[in-house]
Amino acid sequence: RDSVFDDDVSFEQQFTEMEDRFEVVAPAGKLGMVIDTPSGGMPVVHAIKDTSILADQVMVGDRLISVDDEDTTGFTAMQVSKLISQKVHQPTRTLMFSRTKARK
């Protein structure tokens, strides 16, 4: 049976269309990036140093989705920092971010 919502685009699909997801491969070492979880939400880039190796790829306000395919969307800022620092000596770390399309 047809639902009244069959013609509507799902909220998730609308949200996905309003954002770009992108992957950043970071080398070993410090990233020079501060992550915050405002209001207990998804981890967000709060600050990034000019000297950061990610400065030309990541912007304040970008949302961190995962680190090496580990979902971080429910993590606190402290948990994200701990996860990233545990991997500081790996040759590379793959970070997945999302950015609202309007911010480009």
Side-chain angles (χ1 to χ4, degrees):
R1 186 179 146 188
D2 288 340
S3 162
V4 294
F5 300 109
D6 283 348
D7 293 333
D8 292 341
V9 177
S10 73
F11 174 76
E12 186 176 324
Q13 190 175 348
Q14 286 178 6
F15 182 73
T16 303
E17 289 171 2
M18 295 183 326
E19 68 173 13
D20 284 323
R21 290 186 175 209
F22 60 97
E23 199 173 85
V24 175
V25 178
K30 292 193 178 266
L31 300 180
M33 175 177 69
V34 177
I35 297 288
D36 189 19
T37 44
S39 308
M42 187 183 291
V44 173
V45 177
H46 178 71
I48 190 150
K49 293 181 180 179
D50 293 340
T51 55
S52 169
I53 47 154
L54 306 179
D56 61 340
Q57 300 172 74
V58 177
M59 295 169 52
V60 169
D62 288 346
R63 294 173 298 280
L64 182 62
I65 298 171
S66 66
V67 176
D68 290 336
D69 294 324
E70 183 171 343
D71 183 354
T72 57
T73 57
F75 281 30
T76 64
M78 188 68 74
Q79 289 170 317
V80 170
S81 296
K82 188 173 181 181
L83 177 64
I84 291 173
S85 64
Q86 285 172 346
K87 298 170 177 282
V88 73
H89 298 297
Q90 287 183 205
T92 62
R93 292 157 290 169
T94 303
L95 311 177
M96 179 69 73
F97 291 94
S98 71
R99 177 180 300 158
T100 305
K101 286 184 178 180
R103 297 185 67 239
K104 274 185 156 179

